[in-house]
Amino acid sequence: MSDGAARVDAVSAPGYFISFEGGDGVGKSTQARLLGQWLGELTGREVVLTREPGGTELGKELRAAVLHGQDMDPRTEALIYAADRAHHVASLVRPALERGAIVVTDRYLDSSVAYQAGGRELGADEIELISRWAVQDLMPDVTILLDLDPAAASARIRRQHDRLERAGAEFHRRTREAFLARAAADPERWVVLDATTSIDDLQAQIRVDVAARLELTPVVEEAEDTVAAEPDDGFDDTDSAIGYTPGLGLGLGPGAAGPATGSGAA
Ligand code: TYD
């Protein structure tokens, strides 16, 4: 079996939906981008890297309003995030999953539960309900929580703080607690990682966890074939840090053939 054949089989399977969550300044965007690049190389699939709020053209307008516009009531804020999410899922995320892509989003509905329920102290069940309604129950296959003390995270943000970032230490403490509680309640979906770790080490750990959760088992090619056909597999050095053997080729094991694509399981 060649590495190429494994990739073609994988592409006919449904997509994967991965979300990154955590407080402001924890490094989600960097980790999401690195994971997306790696998954694209590993699986041969299309990777859609996106974010909330602001993953679409309409979303950019909603993002500007909610982060940089006038002050607003918490319910208004919650509905703007839900509206951004509804449009994001309907116009970008769901179509991508349906064509077999891997969607990696920087924040999803767990941010609403953490920030608008935890932070703003609205009801968690209500916030989850409006978001679930907005996305017709589409839930990620895996959610990575990058956990960091809010004071340390805030110090990492060098640009001017936006409306949410200015919400205060107590708000951010509640938000962090809400994320951790939500993750603890659903360990099958969540992976919780310490965001004080270096970028490379954190990324290596994320790859191990995501590959395991999505059952992306590495396929070790026969050394002779691979060396002849593919002397350089194009993966960067960090692959060796996660236990894959560079130069032997990577493909997808049989377990990767058919995960749920956000089937609605919480
Ligand atoms: P983010 O894009 O992660 O911030 P930045 O790129 O500026 O670092 O998120 C924007 C802010 O919106 C962040 O403070 C978290 C907040 N937010 C909510 O309060 N509720 C939500 O549902 C989402 C998606 C984000």
Side-chain angles (χ1 to χ4, degrees), residues 21-25 28-29 51-53 63 66-68 77-78 81-82 84-85 106-113 115-116 131 157 159 162-165 171-172:
E21 296 285 3
D24 297 277
K28 290 180 284 53
S29 329
R51 72 168 175 180
E52 291 189 3
R63 180 182 174 94
V66 78
L67 294 183
H68 305 292
E77 184 181 285
Y81 282 115
D84 167 74
R85 184 162 304 125
D106 182 350
R107 296 195 183 282
Y108 192 58
L109 69 73
D110 300 295
S111 277
S112 280
V113 181
Y115 281 79
Q116 279 64 56
S131 264
I157 303 171
R159 54 171 171 68
D162 63 38
R163 213 173 59 76
L164 272 288
E165 288 159 356
F171 172 94
H172 289 287

Side-chain angles (χ1 to χ4, degrees), residues 8 41 61 97 104 127 204 221 226 230 247 262:
V8 171
E41 289 166 1
E61 293 177 34
L97 292 174
V104 181
I127 293 296
E221 305 288 319
T226 312
E230 220 176 327

Side-chain angles (χ1 to χ4, degrees), residues 27-117:
K28 290 180 284 53
S29 329
T30 304
Q31 296 297 339
R33 181 173 46 77
L34 292 171
L35 180 71
Q37 281 168 2
W38 180 74
L39 284 171
E41 289 166 1
L42 176 66
T43 66
R45 291 178 187 238
E46 173 193 5
V47 174
V48 175
L49 194 58
T50 185
R51 72 168 175 180
E52 291 189 3
T56 61
E57 284 306 311
L58 172 60
K60 285 180 193 160
E61 293 177 34
L62 296 172
R63 180 182 174 94
V66 78
L67 294 183
H68 305 292
Q70 67 184 84
D71 212 1
M72 61 185 75
D73 171 78
R75 286 165 197 269
T76 311
E77 184 181 285
L79 288 168
I80 293 178
Y81 282 115
D84 167 74
R85 184 162 304 125
H87 184 63
H88 185 216
V89 166
S91 67
L92 192 146
V93 177
R94 208 182 276 279
L97 292 174
E98 280 167 4
R99 35 173 215 273
I102 297 174
V103 178
V104 181
T105 185
D106 182 350
R107 296 195 183 282
Y108 192 58
L109 69 73
D110 300 295
S111 277
S112 280
V113 181
Y115 281 79
Q116 279 64 56

